[in-house]
Amino acid sequence: MNSQFLEPNPNQCRTCIFRSPQDGGLVLGNDRMAEITEYLCKGKQHICHTNSDKACRGGRNIQLQVFTTLGLIDEPTDGALQATNQKFLQSQNS
């Protein structure tokens, strides 16, 4: 988990790399997509390519699915992820 929790964009961008090419998503090479997916699963945030002040909505959706499946968060919501992030940070400061 990261110490700085970025709010995600409310919606995926039209050209989000996590959107299918048929729906207008940008296409990256398989190695780059695997690299991005791996660091998302490690808790790092992917910055939106159209709004550098926000986390990527598509990347956040992947995190919510993975972290819920692993039991790290109770439900696949931004609020659940943020609450877990805060608990983790508090435990590190104790």
Side-chain angles (χ1 to χ4, degrees), residues 4 6-7 9 46-56:
Q4 181 184 4
L6 292 177
E7 288 297 319
N9 270 337
H46 187 66
I47 304 300
C48 178
H49 71 280
T50 60
N51 184 346
S52 61
D53 294 334
K54 301 279 185 183
C56 170

Side-chain angles (χ1 to χ4, degrees), residues 17-18 28 31-41 46:
I17 62 172
F18 298 103
L28 299 180
D31 289 347
R32 182 66 178 134
M33 283 303 292
E35 179 182 33
I36 292 169
T37 302
E38 182 179 334
Y39 75 66
L40 285 168
C41 292
H46 187 66

Side-chain angles (χ1 to χ4, degrees), residues 3-88:
S3 59
Q4 181 184 4
F5 186 85
L6 292 177
E7 288 297 319
N9 270 337
N11 300 301
Q12 271 185 318
C13 298
R14 286 187 316 114
T15 56
C16 182
I17 62 172
F18 298 103
R19 188 182 292 273
S20 75
Q22 295 84 351
D23 291 333
L26 294 174
V27 177
L28 299 180
N30 291 337
D31 289 347
R32 182 66 178 134
M33 283 303 292
E35 179 182 33
I36 292 169
T37 302
E38 182 179 334
Y39 75 66
L40 285 168
C41 292
K42 291 179 179 179
K44 296 179 183 175
Q45 301 176 86
H46 187 66
I47 304 300
C48 178
H49 71 280
T50 60
N51 184 346
S52 61
D53 294 334
K54 301 279 185 183
C56 170
R57 175 81 264 166
R60 178 62 56 83
N61 289 346
I62 288 175
Q63 288 181 319
L64 295 176
Q65 291 171 5
V66 169
F67 296 163
T68 302
T69 299
L70 293 174
L72 298 173
I73 58 176
D74 296 331
E75 57 183 345
T77 65
D78 294 318
L81 181 59
Q82 187 171 15
T84 298
N85 189 57
Q86 289 302 314
K87 287 179 190 174
F88 172 77

